[in-house]
Amino acid sequence: MPSPAALTFTVRRGAKPPRHLADLSPAQRRTAVTELGEQAFRAGQLSTHYFARLVDDSAAMTDVPAGARERLVAGLLPPLLSPVRHLECDGGATRKSVWRLFDGALVESVLMRYPDRVTMCVSSQAGCGMNCPFCATGQAGLTRNLSTAEIVEQVLAGARALNRGEVPGGPGRVSHVVFMGMGEPLANYRAVLEAVRRLTDPAPDGLGLSQRHVTVSTVGLVPRMRQLTDAGLAVTLALSLHAPDDELRNELVPVNTRWPVAEVLDAAREHHARTGRRVSIEYALIRDVNDQAWRADLLARELVRRGRGWVHVNPIPLNPTPGSRWTASRPADEREFVRRLRSAGVPTTVRDTRGREIDGACGQLAATS
Ligand code: SAH
């Protein structure tokens, strides 16, 4: 596996990604179309092609006259992601894509097909500024925030591939989106929230996913968590806790020094109270670091103290990243950790680690292409 030090791309700094249909609300699209000298109703046609029919070849937009089509596509559907490579495993059911953005920055997305769902794991930033020492993305620092359309396009690229039958299992649709790729979504709050709206607005204004099928995963930026709760979206919140005590969490998730365990758990609990959505606690099990029985008990206590039925825990064996001194817990310790949570009445599901072979599993996304 290449190390993050092998990052060999150069990024043009400062310029903004080109404006795209998916950056805009339906009203803004009509304005933009008028400014391009076309009639406002063309905005609806473009949205239908983009979100409902998943068209990416403008030649298929036969209800728009050729001249207008050219202007509209140039003005509102600029290419944002160019594929660097697609890597597959699990017989094609897991597919990682590496994308080059307009300025040379690289990001990754992962499509995971299950019998009953298709989940797209997307990046919200190029790199990440949160500096968690066990995460590959954290090692290279933050390059920049993605635009709304750069996020939406990752999902649409997966949706188009499924629609064309390119993913084994026959034609299908994206049903779930998780913001668990590169970046801290709540550090790019506005673009991420707009992306959630594009993904969940009914077609043809958006892709029409259920809000409940969108998961925003965070290190725990408390003011932003509260803002998300206030936004009133029924999205699922995933909190990357990784330790129930401040001493260890300060090390594993450095932003904990700003918003400690008690505060992030209170904010997560509040998200449940206001949205009815059960919060996921992410917990990467790291051998002899955070996987002790007493930490399982402390975690259970901290959760149960705040009520029942509001949370479930997703332990995941650490995916060791290059150069890391840490590795995954022993299976027996993992089992005991899970057993203790469950016997305290905390629903707990060990998460699978799809895509390990293609560096597409959790925390392995360090674009080294
Ligand atoms: N910044 C956000 C979302 C991206 S990371 C967040 O931290 O929640 C998605 C999940 O993968 C997080 O729970 C993160 O802690 C976890 N993760 C990162 N590196 C990992 C690794 N090496 N092994 C297992 N999980 C990891």
Side-chain angles (χ1 to χ4, degrees):
M1 199 177 349
S3 79
L7 287 164
T8 50
F9 58 98
T10 46
V11 177
R12 277 191 291 132
R13 296 216 173 241
K16 272 194 170 176
R19 178 189 66 173
H20 187 282
L21 182 87
D23 289 313
L24 307 177
S25 68
Q28 291 170 324
R29 288 172 214 168
R30 284 192 290 279
T31 308
V33 163
T34 323
E35 283 168 6
L36 290 167
E38 301 297 334
Q39 288 179 280
F41 78 95
R42 301 273 179 224
Q45 290 181 312
L46 278 192
S47 300
T48 301
H49 286 302
Y50 184 76
F51 284 114
R53 301 204 182 119
L54 305 175
V55 165
D56 64 351
D57 174 8
S58 61
M61 303 179 184
T62 50
D63 54 348
V64 186
R69 196 190 305 164
E70 207 175 297
R71 272 189 295 282
L72 291 170
V73 169
L76 282 167
L77 293 170
L80 294 177
L81 310 181
S82 35
V84 175
R85 64 174 55 142
H86 301 290
L87 299 161
E88 290 181 357
C89 62
D90 306 319
T94 303
R95 171 176 143 127
K96 179 176 89 164
S97 303
V98 183
W99 306 104
R100 189 182 304 281
L101 308 181
F102 86 104
D103 57 354
L106 299 178
V107 295
E108 305 186 359
S109 58
V110 185
L111 182 154
M112 288 160 284
R113 187 168 209 167
Y114 301 89
D116 59 335
R117 61 167 70 182
V118 178
T119 300
M120 284 294 310
C121 177
V122 298
S123 298
S124 55
Q125 299 181 310
C128 186
M130 296 298 122
N131 218 13
C132 304
F134 58 89
C135 173
T137 308
Q139 307 318 302
L142 176 66
T143 302
R144 71 166 167 87
N145 282 335
L146 301 194
S147 67
T148 294
E150 286 172 328
I151 297 168
V152 171
E153 263 288 284
Q154 295 170 54
V155 179
L156 268 285
R160 292 189 288 254
L162 278 162
N163 189 44
R164 286 194 294 256
E166 287 169 17
V167 181
R173 304 172 70 91
V174 173
S175 58
H176 292 66
V177 171
V178 297
F179 285 85
M180 293 189 183
M182 301 171 122
E184 167 50 43
L186 296 189
N188 184 16
Y189 183 85
R190 271 184 50 166
V192 165
L193 216 73
E194 281 293 300
V196 172
R197 293 191 196 284
R198 293 300 105 72
L199 296 173
T200 60
D201 276 352
D205 288 344
L207 193 60
L209 298 185
S210 158
Q211 288 180 0
R212 292 189 294 280
H213 290 179
V214 174
T215 298
V216 175
S217 182
T218 181
V219 291
L221 308 182
V222 167
R224 296 305 196 183
M225 289 168 75
R226 295 195 193 286
Q227 206 176 340
L228 180 68
T229 302
D230 288 342
L233 300 172
V235 296
T236 300
L237 186 69
L239 172 63
S240 298
L241 197 68
H242 304 311
D245 54 303
D246 287 323
E247 190 183 348
L248 179 58
R249 194 167 190 268
N250 284 344
E251 186 185 353
L252 297 181
V253 184
V255 79
N256 191 71
T257 54
R258 206 64 185 277
W259 295 289
V261 172
E263 277 184 46
V264 288
L265 287 181
D266 286 347
R269 176 72 184 82
E270 181 68 12
H271 186 78
H272 170 79
R274 301 262 301 280
T275 64
R277 301 298 303 151
R278 214 189 239 196
V279 173
S280 300
I281 301 287
E282 309 296 302
Y283 201 106
L285 285 166
I286 311 176
R287 184 179 298 184
D288 298 329
V289 173
N290 66 353
D291 61 355
Q292 304 84 354
W294 72 265
R295 280 204 164 89
D297 294 342
L298 178 58
L299 175 59
R301 224 167 30 246
E302 288 297 329
L303 298 179
V304 169
R305 203 155 73 73
R306 289 172 171 80
R308 297 210 176 250
W310 70 277
V311 70
H312 66 255
V313 177
N314 285 147
I316 180 168
L318 182 83
N319 277 315
T321 57
S324 167
R325 57 190 187 279
W326 289 318
T327 189
S329 299
R330 295 171 199 88
D333 293 338
E334 176 183 311
R335 277 195 302 275
E336 180 61 8
F337 198 90
V338 170
R339 193 193 65 75
R340 282 176 181 257
L341 286 168
R342 287 190 181 145
S343 66
V346 179
T348 304
T349 321
V350 176
R351 230 175 48 194
D352 77 357
T353 54
R354 273 217 192 180
R356 266 180 195 244
E357 309 91 296
I358 53 174
D359 291 357
C362 298
Q364 285 184 303
L365 302 180
T368 42
S369 304

